[in-house]
Amino acid sequence: MPVSRETPEPEVILAAAEVLARGGLVAFPTETVYGLGARGLRADEVEKIFVAKQRPSGHPLILHVDGEAMASALASRWSDRASRLARAFWPGPLTLVVPRAPSVPDVVTGGLATVGLRMPRHPVALALIARVGEPLAAPSANAHMHVSPTMAAHVVQSLGDRVDLVLDAGPCDHGIESTVIDLARDDEAPRVLRAGAASLDAIRAVVPEAVYEPLTVATDVARASPGLASKHYAPRARVVLVDAPHLVDEHPGLRVGAIVWSEEARALLAHRSRTVFTLPPDPEAFARALFATFYEADAAGLDLLLIERVPATPPWWAVTDRLARASS
Ligand code: TXA
Ligand code: MG
């Protein structure tokens, strides 16, 4: 169902809220990626998200709230750090992991003692939460192990009729998921669990002590958060990260495609018959286009996707993380 991004039509939001009130699932746009929503405090409704995604239970979901008051009511302790980060980043792409209140069902937290909370900035997401008047549990609206959807068509491609309604407000602004930060313990530094659309510099401006360990095979295995395993962020094709000169290597018998961003790589591939996706050399614009390109690579039936390495600088942190996962 089409919906206006800037001024969501009240009748569309009402129709979506009615689907949720009947216990249905509604995919809705956020500024990061599309989410697959259910009413977050009703265990039987949240269960349906796991069935639709074919996601193993035990993977915690984010509750989407309309502000700090709704958030703090879902936490058993709302620390000074949580409050400062919420005020600095919300509405926006930062998920705070805090100790859970008893009202939060186990199915949402995967049995953990914590809950992930975020107030999205997208007007459609905010209108829907306001209309329902309760937090919405919403993971990315893709089947388990697929790439997060950045357009309504991706949701349909990934979930088909396992979702009751998809609100289509066009492509997402960031195209990459929220940054997730663990604030559960006051006696420990906040730890970034997932690099994302909120930058580390911006987070450290509020909590200078925040810790971030870039993804490695070792950290991946030792993850505290089950949903963070690498394989969750990959297209179907095998992904290999390469420096520009290797984009022209031969791979006999394989359908090979490439994602490039530099002038050098584009020049190298200009006269090749390979499927080439050219993304912008700017990290935010690259992130916005990356998952859509993975969906296109899947649709093209590629066996091997060569991706030109991106610069190892802070603005690229979230892209670097997703490419590391996709190629692991
Ligand atoms: O941008 C986003 O965060 C999108 C939109 C829809 O809001 N949502 C999203 O949800 O990416 P999902 O379920 O695909 O990813 C949520 C991540 C998972 O990696 C999960 O493990 C982590 O957040 N997470 C959620 N609750 C947690 C908790 N209590 N402790 C640790 N990690 C948690
Ligand atoms: Mg996801």
Side-chain angles (χ1 to χ4, degrees), residues 215-327:
L215 182 84
T216 63
V217 173
T219 54
D220 189 36
V221 170
R223 280 286 172 193
S225 178
L228 288 167
S230 288
K231 53 187 191 232
H232 292 253
Y233 296 82
R236 260 175 239 119
R238 191 159 75 85
V239 172
V240 179
L241 307 183
V242 297
D243 296 311
H246 294 287
L247 289 164
V248 297
D249 291 354
E250 294 302 327
H251 301 274
L254 295 183
R255 277 168 299 178
V256 184
I259 296 181
V260 302
W261 55 273
S262 73
E263 286 291 342
E264 182 196 3
R266 289 161 66 175
L268 277 168
L269 288 170
H271 302 292
R272 302 269 161 165
S273 59
R274 199 158 271 189
T275 304
V276 180
F277 304 97
T278 303
L279 299 194
D282 160 75
E284 287 183 8
F286 188 105
R288 195 174 301 129
L290 180 62
F291 292 165
T293 306
F294 283 173
Y295 274 92
E296 281 184 55
D298 280 351
L302 297 178
D303 303 307
L304 176 62
L305 184 58
L306 303 174
I307 306 184
E308 184 186 8
R309 269 183 221 288
V310 299
T313 56
W316 288 91
W317 78 316
V319 166
T320 298
D321 173 87
R322 298 306 183 273
L323 295 182
R325 293 170 196 275
S327 62

Side-chain angles (χ1 to χ4, degrees), residues 30 32-36 53 55 60-62 64 95 97 108-109 112 114-116 118 138-140 142 148 176-178 180 193-194 224-228 233:
T30 81
T32 57
V33 300
Y34 275 75
L36 181 63
K53 282 186 64 113
R55 174 165 166 150
L61 303 180
I62 296 169
H64 295 70
T95 296
V97 171
V108 169
T109 67
L112 298 174
T114 56
V115 61
R118 157 167 128 78
S140 51
N142 51 280
S148 291
I176 200 154
E177 302 89 345
S178 64
V180 180
L193 299 177
R194 179 176 70 183
S225 178
L228 288 167
Y233 296 82

Side-chain angles (χ1 to χ4, degrees), residues 125-199:
L126 288 173
L128 188 58
I129 300 165
R131 181 81 228 183
V132 173
E134 295 177 28
L136 297 181
S140 51
N142 51 280
H144 184 57
M145 314 272 268
H146 282 193
V147 175
S148 291
T150 60
M151 298 196 264
H154 299 156
V155 179
V156 176
Q157 193 176 324
S158 189
L159 293 176
D161 56 15
R162 295 203 296 272
V163 49
D164 297 298
L165 177 66
V166 183
L167 296 180
D168 182 357
C172 299
D173 299 342
H174 293 294
I176 200 154
E177 302 89 345
S178 64
T179 301
V180 180
I181 189 164
D182 186 353
L183 304 175
R185 296 190 49 163
D186 292 335
D187 57 345
E188 280 180 14
R191 183 172 294 273
V192 172
L193 299 177
R194 179 176 70 183
S199 79

